[in-house]
Amino acid sequence: MKATLIFVFLFAGLFAVKAQQYKPVDEKSEIKFIIKNFGLNVSGSFNGLNGSIIFNASNLSASSFNVSVDVNTINTGIDMRDSHLKKEDYFDAEKYSTIRFVSTSITGNQNGYAINGNLTIKGTTRAVSFPFTVQNQDNGLLFTGSLSINRKDFNVGGSSAVLSNNAEIQLKVFAAKS
């Protein structure tokens, strides 16, 4: 009987240490990009961050990210450019209104963490991986990371002699406990 009670308490204790669920907070997050156009850096951002994050630093295999941003919120500071980027030859926002990332694995390393997952832009999904860090902040977590992608892998922008193929994506995602 004593052994059964100990087992029940140990089993219950394992579930008490389960991964915590978080909800990304759009207003406290930044999704930015930088790409060279005519040799100059052009930067912009996306809003409309949505999804769910499950994170437990002690059990990374139980952690996951499933997040998206609204393509229609693209902002480069120039309305005419933003309208052009929403058209079919770039993001085709009418047909593909979100950019989504779904993690497949998360590992720890000496500098923080590394995440692998599937990034879907304009209906095309590619495997990506990048390092990130986590900080406790305001009853939630701040995830910070960056990755480089080739826009042509996602059929964004077609052939261009003046637009770089590589874009740098910078992420600061605040997620509140849900």
Side-chain angles (χ1 to χ4, degrees):
M1 179 69 167
K2 205 179 217 182
T4 304
L5 283 174
I6 291 172
F7 177 76
V8 169
F9 283 118
L10 283 174
F11 190 74
L14 286 173
F15 284 103
V17 200
K18 67 179 184 165
Q20 177 69 46
Q21 185 150 358
Y22 296 87
K23 176 133 180 77
V25 179
D26 187 46
E27 300 79 28
K28 293 184 176 183
S29 300
E30 296 177 357
I31 311 299
K32 295 183 175 183
F33 64 88
I34 300 170
I35 190 166
K36 286 199 182 287
N37 190 21
F38 287 103
L40 302 172
N41 282 339
V42 174
S43 61
S45 64
F46 290 98
N47 292 317
L49 181 62
N50 203 347
S52 66
I53 297 170
I54 298 171
F55 190 78
N56 181 344
S58 300
N59 186 4
L60 294 174
S61 64
S63 300
S64 64
F65 289 71
N66 184 346
V67 292
S68 64
V69 293
D70 182 350
V71 172
N72 287 295
T73 66
I74 193 166
N75 182 358
T76 63
I78 300 173
D79 291 340
M80 220 162 106
R81 179 189 296 148
D82 298 345
S83 293
H84 184 73
L85 292 173
K86 293 176 191 177
K87 295 197 185 232
E88 186 177 352
D89 54 335
Y90 282 90
F91 288 103
D92 197 359
E94 189 174 307
K95 188 173 181 182
Y96 305 102
S97 61
T98 60
I99 294 173
R100 177 170 303 283
F101 176 77
V102 178
S103 66
T104 55
S105 68
I106 301 168
T107 57
N109 60 42
Q110 66 275 16
N111 298 319
Y113 303 92
I115 190 166
N116 298 303
N118 294 312
L119 179 63
T120 303
I121 301 173
K122 200 175 174 184
T124 301
T125 302
R126 297 279 187 252
V128 297
S129 61
F130 57 94
F132 72 97
T133 60
V134 181
Q135 294 177 322
N136 287 312
Q137 187 178 60
D138 299 331
N139 199 30
L141 297 175
L142 179 65
F143 299 93
T144 306
S146 65
L147 69 149
S148 183
I149 63 168
N150 185 322
R151 67 177 178 81
K152 292 179 92 175
D153 288 345
F154 298 94
N155 302 311
V156 174
S159 295
S160 175
V162 297
L163 183 61
S164 174
N165 292 338
N166 296 318
E168 180 76 18
I169 314 298
Q170 300 170 346
L171 308 164
K172 285 186 181 180
V173 175
F174 175 75
K177 287 183 183 178
S178 52

